[in-house]
Amino acid sequence: MFHELVLFAVIVVALFTALLVMFLYLVVRKIKDGKWKREVKRYKQRYEPVLFRYLAYGDEQVPAPSSSAQHVAVMELLDHFIRVLANEGVKERATTLAEMYFVDYLRAQLAHRRLGRRMNALFFIEDFHLRSLVHELETMYEQKQLTPMEKRQLLKMFALFQHPNVYEYMKQTDESFTQFDYRLILSRMDDHMFAKMVDHFFDWNEKIQYALIDMIGIMQKLAHVSFLRTLLQHEQSEYRVRALKALAQMAYPLDVEQLRVHFQSPVWQERLMALRLCARTRRQEMVDHIVLLMKDAVFSVRSQAAEALLRMPNGLDILEHIAQTSDDRYARDMALEWLERGREHD
């Protein structure tokens, strides 16, 4: 019994000691973090007016940061100013300053054991357009222990820097990459690089293909309208649906004959996107076809048809006529719903 009590006491003391050590560590860590933040804030206050005059007018000498806190303070200020003072002159001066003062510091941060430090370094390199660190980025990308988060950020940067290997890198991505990830990468490509992606459309995996179609519409890339019109004839319905959506985002008009096949598609999403295109282009010759789709079996299609009619010059009159005379109860109900909406905003 005595030995058991001694053993229990030893365990309690050991646990108490471990908790005390952990508590003291956290207290010391918090004190250090607080001191670090105050130091960064103090340097920001010192550098802010000088950095502003340098970026805005280019006639100020910015003192070189000498400590880690000074580097962070100046980089955060610089990052803030290039977002607020958004013009090419400011960006060029920011890049020049970053090339002069931050390259060595960021190079060291890329090899830091903490993921947060490495990611912050990548964000700063992207924001400051530090092409001089591309070799280090290539080396980092080849590391086996690279996290998915780092790989996504690196691919965005390779796209931004028009890196010649970005196509090969994208072919090697795994299933963890989402369509949204690919959209972010594509959004950073210049027109030439994006066009090359489109030219090799059927070489890419499905997620990249869908992201490409979506980004043509989101980024209003009118140069690729002919490519979208080609996809409208593809046997795979998802290509047709996304191509119609992209054309609708660009408000690119198609005539009745071109849209007829999509109005009559057995795929309701395709009918919906054809109607969305009509709503954006507001072409009077589409009215009869849109009216027919007010009787569609799918609620979302009927709703989009009513919206498309409402956007026509005489949309309220058309919807009122449907509400009073249609032989389809669902069409009448939808017309009444959109009449109410239209009158509210009239």
Side-chain angles (χ1 to χ4, degrees):
M1 184 70 179
F2 174 76
H3 293 296
E4 291 176 354
L5 289 173
V6 170
L7 179 61
F8 177 75
V10 170
I11 293 173
V12 169
V13 170
L15 287 172
F16 177 78
T17 303
L19 290 172
L20 181 62
V21 170
M22 186 179 299
F23 173 75
L24 291 173
Y25 168 78
L26 292 173
V27 170
V28 172
R29 180 70 178 271
K30 187 173 182 179
I31 292 172
K32 284 186 175 180
D33 287 346
K35 183 180 178 182
W36 165 267
K37 289 177 181 177
R38 288 192 298 273
E39 191 175 358
V40 170
K41 184 178 180 180
R42 186 170 65 251
Y43 284 127
K44 279 185 174 182
Q45 292 171 343
R46 180 187 302 177
Y47 274 97
E48 185 172 13
V50 177
L51 199 56
F52 175 80
R53 288 193 295 270
Y54 166 76
L55 291 173
Y57 310 114
D59 58 357
E60 187 81 22
Q61 182 65 38
V62 181
S66 57
S67 68
S68 180
Q70 287 181 355
H71 276 91
V72 171
V74 178
M75 285 192 299
E76 288 183 357
L77 278 174
L78 195 62
D79 197 43
H80 168 72
F81 280 135
I82 61 177
R83 296 175 193 279
V84 175
L85 308 173
N87 67 63
E88 289 305 314
V90 168
K91 290 179 181 178
E92 288 176 9
R93 285 190 283 273
T95 298
T96 300
L97 188 71
E99 290 280 5
M100 190 186 311
Y101 289 156
F102 303 144
V103 168
D104 291 338
Y105 176 81
L106 290 171
R107 182 183 291 116
Q109 292 296 297
L110 289 176
H112 201 280
R113 61 184 177 81
R114 288 171 59 183
L115 173 62
R117 292 284 192 91
R118 299 196 301 273
M119 289 302 300
N120 282 338
L122 291 174
F123 293 141
F124 281 128
I125 292 169
E126 178 183 10
D127 290 345
F128 302 149
H129 289 222
L130 296 179
R131 295 175 182 272
S132 59
L133 288 171
V134 167
H135 176 70
E136 285 77 3
L137 300 180
E138 292 171 343
T139 302
M140 187 178 184
Y141 192 81
E142 298 299 330
Q143 293 174 356
K144 291 182 179 179
Q145 67 271 28
L146 194 70
T147 66
M149 189 185 301
E150 290 171 298
K151 183 172 286 190
R152 288 174 175 81
Q153 180 60 24
L154 283 166
L155 279 176
K156 287 188 285 185
M157 295 164 72
F158 289 141
L160 179 67
F161 295 154
Q162 288 87 56
H163 194 286
N165 293 343
V166 70
Y167 306 106
E168 292 303 316
Y169 289 151
M170 288 186 70
K171 287 179 180 178
Q172 297 164 10
T173 54
D174 56 38
E175 283 299 312
S176 69
F177 276 71
T178 65
Q179 289 182 45
F180 181 73
D181 292 327
Y182 290 124
R183 285 185 188 181
L184 291 177
I185 295 168
L186 293 168
S187 70
R188 285 157 169 78
M189 293 184 175
D190 63 9
D191 290 340
H192 175 74
M193 182 171 281
F194 190 92
K196 188 173 179 181
M197 294 288 297
V198 174
D199 289 343
H200 296 275
F201 179 80
F202 291 102
D203 294 337
W204 303 113
N205 66 50
E206 197 173 70
K207 290 180 184 177
I208 296 179
Q209 289 178 345
Y210 294 160
L212 269 169
I213 301 171
D214 293 346
M215 291 309 295
I216 291 173
I218 292 169
M219 298 177 70
Q220 302 285 297
K221 290 186 173 290
L222 292 170
H224 300 291
V225 164
S226 60
F227 166 72
L228 294 178
R229 293 180 65 174
T230 300
L231 288 182
L232 292 180
Q233 303 171 36
H234 200 279
E235 61 181 13
Q236 186 171 324
S237 63
E238 188 65 23
Y239 289 155
R240 301 195 303 270
V241 170
R242 288 178 183 261
L244 285 167
K245 182 180 178 181
L247 289 168
Q249 287 173 311
M250 293 187 285
Y252 185 86
L254 296 177
D255 59 36
V256 173
E257 289 306 312
Q258 290 171 317
L259 279 176
R260 188 191 304 275
V261 64
H262 307 295
F263 288 143
Q264 298 172 352
S265 171
V267 180
W268 70 265
Q269 293 92 338
E270 188 171 353
R271 302 194 300 274
L272 177 72
M273 288 304 162
L275 287 166
R276 186 171 295 179
L277 178 58
C278 292
R280 291 295 307 277
T281 54
R282 306 181 187 185
R283 302 184 69 175
Q284 193 69 31
E285 62 267 30
M286 301 291 182
V287 168
D288 291 343
H289 296 275
I290 300 172
V291 169
L292 288 174
L293 287 170
M294 286 289 291
K295 300 179 181 182
D296 197 275
V298 178
F299 175 88
S300 297
V301 175
R302 295 197 303 274
S303 181
Q304 185 62 72
E307 181 184 351
L309 290 174
L310 182 63
R311 287 173 175 262
M312 295 295 173
N314 57 336
L316 287 173
D317 293 337
I318 299 170
L319 287 173
E320 190 158 356
H321 179 73
I322 294 171
Q324 293 175 357
T325 65
S326 178
D327 59 356
D328 186 280
R329 177 168 63 89
Y330 296 111
R332 294 196 303 272
D333 290 345
M334 188 61 70
L336 287 170
E337 180 181 334
W338 279 89
L339 270 172
E340 186 176 345
R341 295 190 194 185
R343 286 165 179 159
E344 285 176 358
H345 298 90
D346 194 9

